Amino acid sequence: MGCYRKAKLALDALRSYTSKIVTRPSVEESAFSRIYQDGSLSSASNPAKFSGLSKSCNFYQRFGPGSQMGVNKINYNPFLGNCIGAKRFYYVDRYRVQHFKPRGPKRWFRNPRTVLIVVLVGSGAFITVYYGNLETVPYTKRTHFVLLSKAMERKMGETQFEQMKAAFKGKMLPALHPESVRMRLIAQDIIDALQRGLKREQVWSDMGYASQESDVAHEASAHETLKALSEREEKIEGKWYKEDEILDDNWVQQCRKKEKGLKADASHLDGLNWEILVVNEPVVNAFCLPGGKIVVFTGLLEHFRTDAEIATIIGHEVGHAVARHAAEGITKNLWVAILQLILYQFIMPDIANAMSVLFLRLPFSRRMEIEADYVGLLLMASAGYDPRIAPRVYEKLGKLTGDSALRDYLSTHPSGKRRAQLLAQAQVMEEALHIYRDRIAGRGDEGFFL
C-alpha cells in the first residue's frame, strides 16, 4: 500500500512538471520566425518584433489576414512585406478588386490600335525626314542623306576659320606675300572653273585673303605648267584590281548611269565668300572648310612647287566643299553612334568601337577622298591645268606621309599609290583631258558637272 502511494505521488509530480514545459512552436510559427529575423530570432510569441501587415492595410483587410467567424486571426504571407511596401505592387480597380501591378514599362504595345498608330506616324516622319534631306553630288550623281542644313554648315565653317586665324596669329603670311598672291590666283582659277561647271550666271566675288579683299591682277602661269609637263612622266607600276579595295571607278560610273536624270544640288555654293589663308607651318597639308574657307600650309609648298601641283591639291579640297562631305560626315557619325549604342547591348564597348571604326568610319572616309579626287580633277582641267599631273601628285604625297600596305584599310585616306593608280586608269581621266583640251583651245566647257 505504501509503494502504491509513493508511485502515485511520483506520477502526479511528473505530470505537474511536464505541464509547465513550453510547447514547441508550430510549423507556421517556425516559418514566421525564420523569415522575420533581424539579427536575432523572432517569433510569433513576441508581437513587439513582428512587423507584418497591419490591420489598417487594405490588402490585409480584404485578402490577407482577416476576420474568420468574428475572430481576428493573423495569417502570415511570406511573399509580402509590410503594408507600405505592398502598395507598390498592387492597385485597386473600380470594382475594389486588387491586382498585381506589372513591373517595368507599360505594356502599350499590347494594344494593336496603339501599335498601328505609332508605326504609321513613325514611318511617315522617317520618310519625310529622309527624302526631304536627300541631295545629289555634282558629277558623280551620288545621292546622300544630309541632316545638317546649308546655313548651319556655312556658319560652322566660318566659325572654325575665325578660330584658326586666332590660333595662327603671327604665323599667317601677309596678303601681299608672293606665296599668298600665288595661292589666291590658283584658287581663283579653281573657283572660276567651278562656276563654269555648274553653269552659274551670277558672278562670284573675287577670292579674298583672310577677310581682306585683294585687287592683285591675275598673272598667267603657263610657263610653270609647261615646265611640269616637260618633266619625265613616272611610270605607275602595277594594275588596279577591283578586289583589292572597294574604291574603284565602277561605283562612280554606276551612280552616274543610275541617277542620270537627277540634277546636281549646288545651292550651298551660292553667294559664298571664298577666302584663302597661307600659314607658315612645316605641315604638309591643306584643307577647305565649309563655306569656302581654304587653308594652305607652307610645308606643302616646299614639296609641291608648280602651279599645276598646287591646283591639284586645292581642287581636291574644293571638291570636299562641293560634295558637302563635312555635313555628310556629321550625319554618318550620328547613325554610327546609334548603331554603337545597339551593339553595346550585345558585345563589349571596345569591340563595338573598333568594328564601327574599321567597317564604317574608315571606308566612308576613303570613299569621300576618292570622290573629291574626281571632282578636283575636273576642276583643275577646266582651270587650264593638265590633269595628267594629278596621279603623280598623289603618289608623291603618299611618299611624304608614309604609305604602307595597311594604309588602304586602316587610314582615313587611301594610299598615294592607290589613288594614283585609280586616277590614271579611271574613266574620269578621259573626261578631264577632254575638258582640258577644250579649255586651252578656247572652246567652252560649261556644265561639265551637270
Side-chain angles (χ1 to χ4, degrees), residues 379-437:
L379 288 177
M380 67 173 297
S382 178
Y385 301 98
D386 194 328
R388 290 171 290 187
I389 298 177
R392 292 166 40 202
V393 171
Y394 292 120
E395 189 172 18
K396 184 178 179 180
L397 187 62
K399 294 179 180 179
L400 292 174
T401 56
D403 276 346
S404 64
L406 297 178
R407 185 180 176 88
D408 292 323
Y409 306 97
L410 300 179
S411 178
T412 57
H413 290 60
S415 65
K417 183 178 180 180
R418 186 62 59 87
R419 296 167 76 178
Q421 291 173 341
L422 177 58
L423 285 181
Q425 302 180 22
Q427 185 176 343
V428 67
M429 180 60 73
E430 300 178 4
E431 301 179 27
L433 284 173
H434 179 73
I435 294 173
Y436 170 70
R437 295 189 181 103

Short mmCIF file of all heavy atoms in Angstrom, two decimals, residues 379-437:
data_model
loop_
_atom_site.label_atom_id
_atom_site.label_comp_id
_atom_site.label_asym_id
_atom_site.label_seq_id
_atom_site.Cartn_x
_atom_site.Cartn_y
_atom_site.Cartn_z
N LEU A 379 37.97 69.99 -111.96
CA LEU A 379 38.14 71.42 -111.70
C LEU A 379 39.49 71.92 -112.21
O LEU A 379 39.58 72.98 -112.83
CB LEU A 379 38.01 71.69 -110.20
CG LEU A 379 36.61 71.57 -109.61
CD1 LEU A 379 36.65 71.79 -108.11
CD2 LEU A 379 35.66 72.59 -110.25
N MET A 380 40.57 71.19 -111.94
CA MET A 380 41.89 71.63 -112.39
C MET A 380 42.00 71.59 -113.91
O MET A 380 42.66 72.44 -114.52
CB MET A 380 42.99 70.79 -111.75
CG MET A 380 43.03 69.34 -112.19
SD MET A 380 44.47 68.45 -111.54
CE MET A 380 45.83 69.32 -112.31
N ALA A 381 41.33 70.63 -114.54
CA ALA A 381 41.34 70.57 -116.00
C ALA A 381 40.60 71.76 -116.59
O ALA A 381 41.06 72.37 -117.57
CB ALA A 381 40.71 69.26 -116.48
N SER A 382 39.46 72.11 -116.02
CA SER A 382 38.71 73.27 -116.51
C SER A 382 39.44 74.57 -116.22
O SER A 382 39.24 75.56 -116.94
CB SER A 382 37.33 73.29 -115.86
OG SER A 382 36.58 74.41 -116.28
N ALA A 383 40.29 74.57 -115.18
CA ALA A 383 41.07 75.77 -114.86
C ALA A 383 42.29 75.93 -115.74
O ALA A 383 42.99 76.95 -115.64
CB ALA A 383 41.49 75.73 -113.40
N GLY A 384 42.58 74.98 -116.60
CA GLY A 384 43.71 75.09 -117.52
C GLY A 384 44.96 74.37 -117.07
O GLY A 384 46.04 74.62 -117.61
N TYR A 385 44.85 73.44 -116.12
CA TYR A 385 46.00 72.68 -115.63
C TYR A 385 45.86 71.24 -116.11
O TYR A 385 44.78 70.65 -116.03
CB TYR A 385 46.07 72.72 -114.11
CG TYR A 385 46.18 74.12 -113.54
CD1 TYR A 385 45.05 74.78 -113.07
CD2 TYR A 385 47.40 74.77 -113.50
CE1 TYR A 385 45.14 76.07 -112.55
CE2 TYR A 385 47.51 76.07 -112.98
CZ TYR A 385 46.37 76.70 -112.52
OH TYR A 385 46.47 77.98 -112.01
N ASP A 386 46.96 70.69 -116.59
CA ASP A 386 46.95 69.34 -117.17
C ASP A 386 46.57 68.33 -116.09
O ASP A 386 47.28 68.19 -115.08
CB ASP A 386 48.32 69.00 -117.74
CG ASP A 386 48.27 67.77 -118.65
OD1 ASP A 386 47.45 66.87 -118.39
OD2 ASP A 386 49.05 67.72 -119.62
N PRO A 387 45.48 67.58 -116.27
CA PRO A 387 45.06 66.62 -115.25
C PRO A 387 45.98 65.41 -115.12
O PRO A 387 45.90 64.69 -114.12
CB PRO A 387 43.65 66.20 -115.72
CG PRO A 387 43.66 66.43 -117.19
CD PRO A 387 44.55 67.63 -117.41
N ARG A 388 46.85 65.18 -116.09
CA ARG A 388 47.76 64.04 -116.01
C ARG A 388 48.81 64.21 -114.93
O ARG A 388 49.51 63.25 -114.58
CB ARG A 388 48.42 63.82 -117.38
CG ARG A 388 47.47 63.30 -118.44
CD ARG A 388 48.09 63.29 -119.80
NE ARG A 388 48.29 64.66 -120.30
CZ ARG A 388 48.71 64.93 -121.55
NH1 ARG A 388 48.95 63.95 -122.40
NH2 ARG A 388 48.87 66.18 -121.92
N ILE A 389 48.92 65.40 -114.39
CA ILE A 389 49.86 65.63 -113.29
C ILE A 389 49.30 65.11 -111.97
O ILE A 389 50.06 64.78 -111.05
CB ILE A 389 50.18 67.14 -113.20
CG1 ILE A 389 50.85 67.60 -114.49
CG2 ILE A 389 51.07 67.44 -112.00
CD1 ILE A 389 51.14 69.08 -114.52
N ALA A 390 48.00 65.00 -111.87
CA ALA A 390 47.36 64.64 -110.60
C ALA A 390 47.82 63.29 -110.05
O ALA A 390 48.13 63.19 -108.84
CB ALA A 390 45.84 64.66 -110.76
N PRO A 391 47.90 62.22 -110.86
CA PRO A 391 48.38 60.95 -110.28
C PRO A 391 49.77 61.05 -109.67
O PRO A 391 50.04 60.46 -108.61
CB PRO A 391 48.36 59.99 -111.48
CG PRO A 391 47.32 60.55 -112.39
CD PRO A 391 47.44 62.03 -112.25
N ARG A 392 50.66 61.81 -110.30
CA ARG A 392 52.00 61.97 -109.75
C ARG A 392 51.98 62.73 -108.43
O ARG A 392 52.77 62.46 -107.52
CB ARG A 392 52.88 62.71 -110.77
CG ARG A 392 53.18 61.89 -112.02
CD ARG A 392 53.74 62.75 -113.12
NE ARG A 392 54.68 63.75 -112.61
CZ ARG A 392 54.98 64.87 -113.27
NH1 ARG A 392 54.37 65.13 -114.41
NH2 ARG A 392 55.85 65.70 -112.78
N VAL A 393 51.07 63.70 -108.32
CA VAL A 393 50.97 64.47 -107.08
C VAL A 393 50.55 63.56 -105.92
O VAL A 393 51.13 63.61 -104.83
CB VAL A 393 49.97 65.63 -107.25
CG1 VAL A 393 49.69 66.30 -105.92
CG2 VAL A 393 50.51 66.64 -108.26
N TYR A 394 49.55 62.71 -106.15
CA TYR A 394 49.08 61.85 -105.07
C TYR A 394 50.10 60.78 -104.71
O TYR A 394 50.23 60.39 -103.54
CB TYR A 394 47.75 61.20 -105.47
CG TYR A 394 46.62 62.19 -105.55
CD1 TYR A 394 45.92 62.40 -106.73
CD2 TYR A 394 46.26 62.94 -104.44
CE1 TYR A 394 44.89 63.32 -106.80
CE2 TYR A 394 45.23 63.86 -104.50
CZ TYR A 394 44.54 64.05 -105.68
OH TYR A 394 43.52 64.97 -105.75
N GLU A 395 50.84 60.30 -105.71
CA GLU A 395 51.87 59.32 -105.42
C GLU A 395 52.99 59.96 -104.59
O GLU A 395 53.50 59.36 -103.64
CB GLU A 395 52.42 58.74 -106.71
CG GLU A 395 53.35 57.56 -106.50
CD GLU A 395 53.72 56.89 -107.81
OE1 GLU A 395 53.54 57.53 -108.87
OE2 GLU A 395 54.20 55.75 -107.78
N LYS A 396 53.36 61.18 -104.95
CA LYS A 396 54.38 61.89 -104.18
C LYS A 396 53.89 62.23 -102.78
O LYS A 396 54.64 62.14 -101.80
CB LYS A 396 54.77 63.17 -104.93
CG LYS A 396 55.89 63.96 -104.29
CD LYS A 396 56.22 65.18 -105.14
CE LYS A 396 57.34 66.01 -104.51
NZ LYS A 396 57.66 67.21 -105.35
N LEU A 397 52.62 62.60 -102.68
CA LEU A 397 52.05 62.91 -101.38
C LEU A 397 52.05 61.67 -100.48
O LEU A 397 52.27 61.76 -99.27
CB LEU A 397 50.63 63.45 -101.56
CG LEU A 397 49.92 63.97 -100.30
CD1 LEU A 397 50.68 65.16 -99.72
CD2 LEU A 397 48.49 64.36 -100.62
N GLY A 398 51.80 60.51 -101.07
CA GLY A 398 51.82 59.28 -100.30
C GLY A 398 53.20 58.97 -99.76
O GLY A 398 53.36 58.49 -98.63
N LYS A 399 54.22 59.24 -100.53
CA LYS A 399 55.59 59.01 -100.07
C LYS A 399 55.95 59.96 -98.93
O LYS A 399 56.67 59.58 -98.00
CB LYS A 399 56.57 59.18 -101.23
CG LYS A 399 56.41 58.12 -102.32
CD LYS A 399 57.40 58.37 -103.46
CE LYS A 399 57.24 57.31 -104.55
NZ LYS A 399 58.17 57.56 -105.69
N LEU A 400 55.46 61.19 -98.99
CA LEU A 400 55.78 62.15 -97.94
C LEU A 400 55.09 61.80 -96.62
O LEU A 400 55.65 61.99 -95.54
CB LEU A 400 55.36 63.56 -98.38
CG LEU A 400 56.16 64.17 -99.55
CD1 LEU A 400 55.54 65.49 -99.97
CD2 LEU A 400 57.61 64.37 -99.15
N THR A 401 53.87 61.31 -96.71
CA THR A 401 53.11 60.99 -95.49
C THR A 401 53.36 59.58 -95.00
O THR A 401 52.90 59.23 -93.91
CB THR A 401 51.61 61.20 -95.74
OG1 THR A 401 51.20 60.40 -96.88
CG2 THR A 401 51.31 62.65 -96.04
N GLY A 402 54.06 58.76 -95.81
CA GLY A 402 54.38 57.41 -95.37
C GLY A 402 53.33 56.39 -95.73
O GLY A 402 52.45 56.08 -94.92
N ASP A 403 53.41 55.85 -96.95
CA ASP A 403 52.48 54.81 -97.38
C ASP A 403 52.88 53.47 -96.76
O ASP A 403 54.05 53.22 -96.47
CB ASP A 403 52.48 54.69 -98.90
CG ASP A 403 51.54 55.69 -99.54
OD1 ASP A 403 50.73 56.28 -98.79
OD2 ASP A 403 51.63 55.91 -100.76
N SER A 404 51.89 52.63 -96.58
CA SER A 404 52.13 51.28 -96.09
C SER A 404 51.05 50.36 -96.65
O SER A 404 50.05 50.82 -97.21
CB SER A 404 52.11 51.24 -94.56
OG SER A 404 50.84 51.59 -94.06
N ALA A 405 51.27 49.08 -96.50
CA ALA A 405 50.31 48.11 -97.03
C ALA A 405 48.97 48.18 -96.31
O ALA A 405 47.92 47.87 -96.88
CB ALA A 405 50.88 46.70 -96.92
N LEU A 406 48.99 48.59 -95.04
CA LEU A 406 47.75 48.66 -94.25
C LEU A 406 47.06 50.00 -94.36
O LEU A 406 45.96 50.16 -93.82
CB LEU A 406 48.05 48.36 -92.78
CG LEU A 406 48.58 46.97 -92.46
CD1 LEU A 406 48.88 46.85 -90.98
CD2 LEU A 406 47.60 45.89 -92.90
N ARG A 407 47.67 50.97 -95.02
CA ARG A 407 47.08 52.30 -95.07
C ARG A 407 45.76 52.30 -95.83
O ARG A 407 44.86 53.09 -95.53
CB ARG A 407 48.06 53.28 -95.73
CG ARG A 407 47.58 54.73 -95.72
CD ARG A 407 48.59 55.65 -96.37
NE ARG A 407 48.11 57.02 -96.45
CZ ARG A 407 48.27 57.92 -95.51
NH1 ARG A 407 48.92 57.58 -94.39
NH2 ARG A 407 47.80 59.14 -95.63
N ASP A 408 45.63 51.41 -96.81
CA ASP A 408 44.40 51.36 -97.60
C ASP A 408 43.23 50.82 -96.80
O ASP A 408 42.09 50.87 -97.26
CB ASP A 408 44.60 50.49 -98.84
CG ASP A 408 45.57 51.12 -99.83
OD1 ASP A 408 45.53 52.36 -99.96
OD2 ASP A 408 46.36 50.39 -100.45
N TYR A 409 43.49 50.28 -95.63
CA TYR A 409 42.42 49.68 -94.84
C TYR A 409 42.32 50.25 -93.42
O TYR A 409 41.28 50.12 -92.78
CB TYR A 409 42.62 48.16 -94.75
CG TYR A 409 42.78 47.51 -96.10
CD1 TYR A 409 44.04 47.24 -96.61
CD2 TYR A 409 41.66 47.19 -96.86
CE1 TYR A 409 44.18 46.64 -97.86
CE2 TYR A 409 41.79 46.61 -98.11
CZ TYR A 409 43.06 46.33 -98.60
OH TYR A 409 43.20 45.75 -99.84
N LEU A 410 43.39 50.87 -92.93
CA LEU A 410 43.41 51.36 -91.55
C LEU A 410 43.63 52.85 -91.48
O LEU A 410 44.10 53.36 -90.46
CB LEU A 410 44.50 50.63 -90.75
CG LEU A 410 44.38 49.11 -90.66
CD1 LEU A 410 45.54 48.53 -89.87
CD2 LEU A 410 43.05 48.70 -90.03
N SER A 411 43.30 53.59 -92.52
CA SER A 411 43.52 55.03 -92.54
C SER A 411 42.31 55.72 -93.14
O SER A 411 41.50 55.11 -93.86
CB SER A 411 44.78 55.37 -93.35
OG SER A 411 44.96 56.77 -93.41
N THR A 412 42.20 57.01 -92.86
CA THR A 412 41.09 57.79 -93.41
C THR A 412 41.31 58.12 -94.88
O THR A 412 40.35 58.44 -95.59
CB THR A 412 40.94 59.11 -92.62
OG1 THR A 412 42.19 59.82 -92.67
CG2 THR A 412 40.57 58.82 -91.17
N HIS A 413 42.57 58.06 -95.35
CA HIS A 413 42.90 58.34 -96.74
C HIS A 413 43.48 57.09 -97.39
O HIS A 413 44.25 56.37 -96.75
CB HIS A 413 43.93 59.48 -96.84
CG HIS A 413 43.38 60.82 -96.48
ND1 HIS A 413 42.86 61.10 -95.23
CD2 HIS A 413 43.29 61.98 -97.19
CE1 HIS A 413 42.47 62.36 -95.19
NE2 HIS A 413 42.71 62.91 -96.37
N PRO A 414 43.14 56.83 -98.64
CA PRO A 414 43.81 55.74 -99.34
C PRO A 414 45.28 56.08 -99.54
O PRO A 414 45.69 57.23 -99.43
CB PRO A 414 43.07 55.68 -100.69
CG PRO A 414 41.81 56.46 -100.49
CD PRO A 414 42.11 57.49 -99.45
N SER A 415 46.08 55.08 -99.81
CA SER A 415 47.49 55.32 -100.04
C SER A 415 47.67 56.14 -101.31
O SER A 415 46.84 56.11 -102.23
CB SER A 415 48.24 53.99 -100.16
OG SER A 415 47.79 53.28 -101.30
N GLY A 416 48.76 56.89 -101.36
CA GLY A 416 49.02 57.71 -102.53
C GLY A 416 49.17 56.89 -103.80
O GLY A 416 48.72 57.29 -104.87
N LYS A 417 49.80 55.72 -103.69
CA LYS A 417 49.96 54.87 -104.86
C LYS A 417 48.62 54.38 -105.37
O LYS A 417 48.39 54.31 -106.58
CB LYS A 417 50.87 53.68 -104.49
CG LYS A 417 51.18 52.76 -105.65
CD LYS A 417 52.10 51.64 -105.22
CE LYS A 417 52.41 50.71 -106.39
NZ LYS A 417 53.33 49.61 -105.98
N ARG A 418 47.73 54.02 -104.45
CA ARG A 418 46.41 53.54 -104.86
C ARG A 418 45.61 54.65 -105.54
O ARG A 418 44.92 54.42 -106.54
CB ARG A 418 45.67 53.00 -103.63
CG ARG A 418 44.34 52.33 -103.94
CD ARG A 418 44.52 51.11 -104.82
NE ARG A 418 45.40 50.14 -104.20
CZ ARG A 418 44.98 49.19 -103.36
NH1 ARG A 418 43.71 49.13 -103.02
NH2 ARG A 418 45.82 48.31 -102.87
N ARG A 419 45.67 55.85 -105.01
CA ARG A 419 44.95 56.97 -105.62
C ARG A 419 45.53 57.29 -107.00
O ARG A 419 44.79 57.63 -107.93
CB ARG A 419 45.05 58.19 -104.71
CG ARG A 419 44.37 58.00 -103.38
CD ARG A 419 44.74 59.07 -102.38
NE ARG A 419 44.06 60.32 -102.65
CZ ARG A 419 44.19 61.41 -101.88
NH1 ARG A 419 44.99 61.36 -100.81
NH2 ARG A 419 43.54 62.51 -102.17
N ALA A 420 46.85 57.21 -107.13
CA ALA A 420 47.47 57.48 -108.44
C ALA A 420 47.06 56.43 -109.46
O ALA A 420 46.75 56.75 -110.61
CB ALA A 420 48.99 57.50 -108.28
N GLN A 421 47.04 55.16 -109.05
CA GLN A 421 46.63 54.10 -109.97
C GLN A 421 45.19 54.28 -110.41
O GLN A 421 44.85 54.08 -111.58
CB GLN A 421 46.81 52.75 -109.27
CG GLN A 421 48.25 52.36 -109.04
CD GLN A 421 48.36 51.11 -108.20
OE1 GLN A 421 47.42 50.71 -107.51
NE2 GLN A 421 49.52 50.47 -108.25
N LEU A 422 44.33 54.64 -109.48
CA LEU A 422 42.91 54.79 -109.80
C LEU A 422 42.67 55.93 -110.77
O LEU A 422 41.97 55.78 -111.77
CB LEU A 422 42.12 55.00 -108.52
CG LEU A 422 40.62 55.23 -108.68
CD1 LEU A 422 39.97 54.07 -109.41
CD2 LEU A 422 39.96 55.43 -107.32
N LEU A 423 43.25 57.09 -110.50
CA LEU A 423 43.03 58.25 -111.37
C LEU A 423 43.62 58.04 -112.75
O LEU A 423 43.07 58.51 -113.75
CB LEU A 423 43.62 59.50 -110.73
CG LEU A 423 42.84 60.09 -109.55
CD1 LEU A 423 43.53 61.35 -109.05
CD2 LEU A 423 41.41 60.41 -109.95
N ALA A 424 44.74 57.36 -112.82
CA ALA A 424 45.39 57.15 -114.12
C ALA A 424 44.57 56.25 -115.03
O ALA A 424 44.61 56.39 -116.26
CB ALA A 424 46.79 56.58 -113.92
N GLN A 425 43.83 55.31 -114.46
CA GLN A 425 43.09 54.34 -115.26
C GLN A 425 41.59 54.57 -115.25
O GLN A 425 40.86 53.86 -115.93
CB GLN A 425 43.38 52.92 -114.74
CG GLN A 425 44.86 52.57 -114.75
CD GLN A 425 45.12 51.16 -114.24
OE1 GLN A 425 44.23 50.32 -114.26
NE2 GLN A 425 46.33 50.91 -113.79
N ALA A 426 41.13 55.52 -114.49
CA ALA A 426 39.69 55.75 -114.39
C ALA A 426 39.16 56.48 -115.61
O ALA A 426 39.89 57.18 -116.32
CB ALA A 426 39.38 56.55 -113.12
N GLN A 427 37.87 56.32 -115.84
CA GLN A 427 37.23 56.98 -116.98
C GLN A 427 37.19 58.49 -116.80
O GLN A 427 37.13 59.24 -117.78
CB GLN A 427 35.81 56.43 -117.14
CG GLN A 427 35.07 56.95 -118.36
CD GLN A 427 33.72 56.30 -118.53
OE1 GLN A 427 33.46 55.25 -117.94
NE2 GLN A 427 32.87 56.92 -119.34
N VAL A 428 37.25 58.95 -115.56
CA VAL A 428 37.21 60.39 -115.32
C VAL A 428 38.43 61.09 -115.90
O VAL A 428 38.36 62.28 -116.25
CB VAL A 428 37.10 60.65 -113.80
CG1 VAL A 428 38.36 60.21 -113.08
CG2 VAL A 428 36.81 62.11 -113.51
N MET A 429 39.54 60.39 -116.04
CA MET A 429 40.73 61.00 -116.63
C MET A 429 40.48 61.37 -118.09
O MET A 429 40.92 62.43 -118.56
CB MET A 429 41.92 60.05 -116.51
CG MET A 429 43.21 60.60 -117.11
SD MET A 429 43.77 62.14 -116.34
CE MET A 429 44.36 61.52 -114.76
N GLU A 430 39.76 60.54 -118.81
CA GLU A 430 39.43 60.85 -120.21
C GLU A 430 38.54 62.09 -120.28
O GLU A 430 38.73 62.94 -121.16
CB GLU A 430 38.75 59.65 -120.85
CG GLU A 430 39.59 58.38 -120.87
CD GLU A 430 38.85 57.22 -121.48
OE1 GLU A 430 37.70 57.43 -121.96
OE2 GLU A 430 39.39 56.10 -121.49
N GLU A 431 37.58 62.18 -119.39
CA GLU A 431 36.72 63.35 -119.37
C GLU A 431 37.51 64.61 -119.01
O GLU A 431 37.29 65.68 -119.58
CB GLU A 431 35.58 63.14 -118.38
CG GLU A 431 34.70 61.94 -118.69
CD GLU A 431 33.59 61.76 -117.67
OE1 GLU A 431 33.17 62.77 -117.07
OE2 GLU A 431 33.13 60.62 -117.47
N ALA A 432 38.42 64.47 -118.05
CA ALA A 432 39.22 65.62 -117.65
C ALA A 432 40.12 66.08 -118.79
O ALA A 432 40.30 67.29 -119.02
CB ALA A 432 40.05 65.27 -116.42
N LEU A 433 40.71 65.15 -119.53
CA LEU A 433 41.57 65.53 -120.66
C LEU A 433 40.76 66.22 -121.75
O LEU A 433 41.24 67.16 -122.39
CB LEU A 433 42.26 64.28 -121.22
CG LEU A 433 43.43 63.73 -120.39
CD1 LEU A 433 43.91 62.40 -120.98
CD2 LEU A 433 44.57 64.74 -120.35
N HIS A 434 39.53 65.75 -121.95
CA HIS A 434 38.67 66.41 -122.95
C HIS A 434 38.35 67.84 -122.52
O HIS A 434 38.39 68.76 -123.36
CB HIS A 434 37.39 65.58 -123.12
CG HIS A 434 36.42 66.17 -124.10
ND1 HIS A 434 36.63 66.14 -125.47
CD2 HIS A 434 35.23 66.82 -123.91
CE1 HIS A 434 35.62 66.74 -126.07
NE2 HIS A 434 34.76 67.16 -125.16
N ILE A 435 38.05 68.04 -121.26
CA ILE A 435 37.79 69.39 -120.76
C ILE A 435 39.02 70.26 -120.85
O ILE A 435 38.96 71.44 -121.24
CB ILE A 435 37.28 69.32 -119.29
CG1 ILE A 435 35.92 68.62 -119.23
CG2 ILE A 435 37.19 70.71 -118.68
CD1 ILE A 435 35.43 68.36 -117.83
N TYR A 436 40.17 69.68 -120.55
CA TYR A 436 41.44 70.44 -120.59
C TYR A 436 41.76 70.89 -122.02
O TYR A 436 42.15 72.05 -122.25
CB TYR A 436 42.55 69.57 -120.02
CG TYR A 436 43.93 70.12 -120.23
CD1 TYR A 436 44.35 71.26 -119.55
CD2 TYR A 436 44.82 69.51 -121.10
CE1 TYR A 436 45.62 71.77 -119.73
CE2 TYR A 436 46.09 70.00 -121.30
CZ TYR A 436 46.49 71.14 -120.61
OH TYR A 436 47.75 71.64 -120.79
N ARG A 437 41.57 70.02 -122.98
CA ARG A 437 41.87 70.37 -124.37
C ARG A 437 40.90 71.44 -124.87
O ARG A 437 41.30 72.35 -125.62
CB ARG A 437 41.81 69.12 -125.24
CG ARG A 437 42.89 68.09 -124.92
CD ARG A 437 42.92 66.98 -125.94
NE ARG A 437 43.93 65.98 -125.62
CZ ARG A 437 43.67 64.79 -125.08
NH1 ARG A 437 42.41 64.45 -124.83
NH2 ARG A 437 44.64 63.94 -124.83
#
